[in-house]
Amino acid sequence: MEALKLIGILIVIVGFILKKDTIATVVIAGIVTGLVSGMSLIEVLEILGKSFISQRVATVFVLTLPVIGICERYGLKEKAVDLIGKVKNATAGKVITIYQIMRALGAAFSLRLSGHPQFVRPLINPMAQGAAIVKYGELDKETEDELKAYCAASDNYGNFYAQLCFIGAAGTLLIVSTLSEQGCDIDALQVAMCSIPIAVISIVVGAVNNHLLDRRLDRKYGKKQGGKA
Amino acid sequence: MINTILSEIFYCLIGVIFILVGIRALKDETLASRSLTAAFWFLLAAIFMVGPYLPQAAVGASIVVLAVLTGLNKVKPSKGEALDAEQGRKEADRLGNKIFVPVVCLAGLALLAATFLPFGANNAIGISGLVCLVIVFAVTGAPAKAAANEGSRLMDSVGITGILPQLLAALGAVFTAAGVGDVISGAVSVLIPEGNMFIAVLVYCAGMALFTMIMGNGFAAFSVITVGIGMPFLIAKGANPAVVGALGLSAGYCGTLVTPMAANFNIMPAALLEMRNKYGIIKAQAVVAAVMFALHVAIMYFWAL
């Protein structure tokens, strides 16, 4: 009954899908997996305890929190908003691309932002909509929603693909911990360096995608409004 | 040796921050489960500070206690002093772009310390965190107690999921000891012709993306798929572990872009932006996700091997 060992994976999947507490889900999955493969409870607890201690490095990002917390208190977010707000006379696509670049830089420099409520809703979406209205006149609902989706998406691209460039990021440390637990000789600096190409590529892909959006809008409204397509 | 001592000092400092979070909870009279919340953070602090000197099974049992506390939903964020938008605006006008200096230094110094100091990349993060604390005091003129206040405020808002990466690495260790990786690799080996590294890369990346879509969480997928596929079919065959790991996790993020399970990123913002179609963001992201996925496979194949 080798396949029974996969029950832990099943528990993780079901637990995450049902939005059960993640910590409890992971611990239950570990204990059940150990027990069905013939370990004693004490043995499972020993493995859990040993690797939890040896992988404390995955939580070392906590040491960066005081600095980031103080910067937040002293206007970090407000100043970032000022910077982005300086972007004028750009098309909707360019506004979104510039935001994605800033978001990616932020992620690579360890900024913990919740971009959607802090930037996209109050700032980026209004700027992109504004740029499109200046160029094309009134927008239909479909275009409005498309711009909203692109703004929200740019936050995800910037955040996801650049975050591993920071050696203290939770994801970077997870990779180090998991692989060193498997016996690889690896450190956070190597992982961060290997993450740079994808970060750069994601910006290029995002920029091309946003440029295509501009072109599409030009075609759509250029004919209708006779705008400067 | 010196690196180990330095690491233990940093883990003790992390423990201090956890204790401060616990104290915040105790002070918050409105928090219903404040003593249990505090118990969670104090126990976690103890594991970080004295864990290495305890029997391993005792640490394991403590982790079970932590899981029981979070599983029963007894660990809650406390109120404490929230950020004040007015103060933020005033300080932003006073300090200008100088406020970016500490955060840029945080990443920059960590890189420099990892590259040029003999204490290892992991300690570099702690070193940079401490040095930048001095910088941030110089830049902002914040009172000394701000380090404790703001550090614990932010840790509290990160919350219990902050220890998830560490716990997932431990889960990976249990899976390995139990032979879960062997079962997965046995099943997957049907898909991967012997010695065909391209198919191996493709299966690993696809596994990451697929599991991330199902679970809505790339971190959890990483510990399962890397133990089951990444290790035996790529790294054991000579692939560069840093490249496989870095690109593997971000290949998982291609899955995050197209799943409603990742509600914070894909569904909540649609509601926040008052979009008519709540799947509109996923729809907009699908093409980019596919392109990025293909690029991940190609780069991993040409770079890791």
Side-chain angles (χ1 to χ4, degrees):
Chain A
M1 278 310 286
E2 281 291 288
L4 201 59
K5 290 180 183 173
L6 300 180
I7 190 167
I9 297 174
L10 193 67
I11 292 173
V12 173
I13 291 175
V14 171
F16 277 76
I17 288 181
L18 297 182
K19 306 248 178 283
K20 296 290 175 199
D21 177 71
T22 49
I23 306 290
T25 301
V26 169
V27 170
I28 292 171
I31 291 177
V32 172
T33 302
L35 292 180
V36 299
S37 24
M39 296 181 210
S40 72
L41 183 61
I42 294 294
E43 281 173 313
V44 183
L45 291 180
E46 274 173 355
I47 297 173
L48 261 185
K50 175 171 168 266
S51 45
F52 194 76
I53 292 297
S54 65
Q55 298 311 329
R56 282 173 295 170
V57 58
T59 311
V60 83
F61 73 90
V62 170
L63 292 170
T64 65
L65 296 183
V67 173
I68 298 172
I70 295 175
C71 287
E72 280 185 8
R73 175 77 65 188
Y74 283 81
L76 180 66
K77 189 199 110 190
E78 285 77 6
K79 208 60 218 167
V81 168
D82 290 354
L83 263 192
I84 300 171
K86 285 201 181 124
V87 178
K88 297 247 158 64
N89 304 325
T91 61
K94 286 197 182 113
V95 168
I96 298 170
T97 298
I98 289 168
Y99 177 62
Q100 190 192 329
I101 294 171
M102 291 207 42
R103 187 69 171 92
L105 284 174
F109 281 102
S110 75
L111 259 67
R112 288 174 14 86
L113 296 169
S114 36
H116 294 115
Q118 291 186 336
F119 287 90
V120 174
R121 155 106 209 195
L123 188 68
I124 307 307
N125 179 51
M127 283 178 66
Q129 303 276 353
I133 289 170
V134 166
K135 195 166 174 193
Y136 308 118
E138 203 173 318
L139 307 173
D140 60 22
K141 284 261 178 251
E142 195 190 329
T143 304
E144 261 180 32
D145 268 15
E146 191 174 25
L147 286 175
K148 285 175 180 175
Y150 270 67
C151 291
S154 70
D155 189 272
N156 287 337
Y157 305 147
N159 176 17
F160 292 178
Y161 293 116
Q163 58 177 247
L164 301 178
C165 296
F166 176 47
I167 70 171
T172 312
L173 295 169
L174 168 79
I175 295 168
V176 174
S177 286
T178 304
L179 289 177
S180 59
E181 195 60 46
Q182 300 295 319
C184 298
D185 181 21
I186 186 171
D187 70 35
L189 184 60
Q190 294 166 358
V191 174
M193 290 299 153
C194 293
S195 301
I196 293 174
I198 278 297
V200 174
I201 287 170
S202 74
I203 289 173
V204 175
V205 171
V208 170
N209 194 40
N210 294 331
H211 181 68
L212 293 176
L213 171 73
D214 274 342
R215 294 262 298 269
R216 216 161 47 240
L217 293 180
D218 280 347
R219 271 200 305 279
K220 178 170 172 181
Y221 290 96
K223 281 175 199 153
K224 230 192 292 180
Q225 310 264 346
K228 37 178 181 171
Chain B
M1 185 61 200
I2 179 99
N3 285 5
T4 314
I5 296 173
L6 200 57
S7 299
E8 288 302 328
I9 293 173
F10 284 139
Y11 295 141
C12 285
L13 286 175
I14 294 173
V16 170
I17 293 179
F18 290 157
I19 291 173
L20 291 170
V21 178
I23 294 175
R24 267 173 81 90
L26 281 182
K27 280 187 184 158
D28 182 358
E29 310 256 321
T30 61
L31 196 65
S33 55
R34 63 177 187 274
S35 46
L36 289 177
T37 299
F40 173 90
W41 291 107
F42 292 157
L43 182 56
L44 187 61
I47 296 175
F48 267 72
M49 296 166 114
V50 299
Y53 321 108
L54 298 176
Q56 288 162 354
V59 176
S62 308
I63 295 168
V64 173
V65 174
L66 294 180
V68 169
L69 287 172
T70 64
L72 297 175
N73 207 10
K74 293 298 179 196
V75 185
K76 298 271 179 56
S78 48
K79 279 225 185 60
E81 40 186 319
L83 283 181
D84 173 1
E86 218 169 286
Q87 187 201 357
R89 184 67 261 167
K90 220 175 67 213
E91 296 293 348
D93 292 337
R94 180 173 71 90
L95 297 170
N97 289 328
K98 269 192 295 184
I99 194 63
F100 294 119
V101 172
V103 282
V104 171
C105 287
L106 202 54
L109 288 180
L111 273 184
L112 289 179
T115 314
F116 296 111
L117 294 181
F119 305 118
N122 302 333
N123 285 328
I125 298 155
I127 293 169
S128 147
L130 289 185
V131 174
C132 288
L133 206 48
V134 177
I135 296 176
V136 79
F137 282 134
V139 168
T140 62
K145 66 172 195 295
N149 287 348
E150 304 301 331
S152 60
R153 172 182 64 78
L154 208 48
M155 188 63 231
D156 201 11
S157 83
V158 171
I160 52 176
T161 45
I163 62 164
L164 190 60
Q166 186 181 349
L167 199 57
L168 286 168
L171 179 69
V174 175
F175 279 178
T176 309
V180 173
D182 302 336
V183 179
I184 300 179
S185 53
V188 168
S189 63
V190 185
L191 294 173
I192 304 177
E194 182 62 36
N196 189 330
M197 294 307 277
F198 179 76
I199 301 288
V201 167
L202 185 64
V203 169
Y204 174 60
C205 290
M208 274 302 304
L210 199 64
F211 263 62
T212 304
M213 284 171 66
I214 295 172
M215 293 193 261
N217 185 308
F219 284 10
F222 186 79
S223 54
V224 174
I225 299 296
T226 301
V227 170
I229 305 176
M231 281 307 298
F233 294 103
L234 294 170
I235 294 171
K237 301 270 166 72
N240 178 328
V243 175
V244 170
L247 291 172
L249 185 53
S250 60
Y253 293 162
C254 299
T256 315
L257 291 175
V258 289
T259 177
M261 289 299 301
N264 314 352
F265 301 112
N266 298 335
I267 305 297
M268 182 278 285
L272 194 67
L273 290 164
E274 296 164 67
M275 292 172 60
R276 287 173 303 166
N277 178 0
K278 67 175 177 169
Y279 299 120
I281 297 175
I282 293 178
K283 212 178 106 201
Q285 289 173 157
V287 173
V288 169
V291 170
M292 289 301 294
F293 180 81
L295 289 168
H296 272 84
V297 173
I299 295 174
M300 192 187 289
Y301 178 68
F302 286 111
W303 192 15
L305 300 167

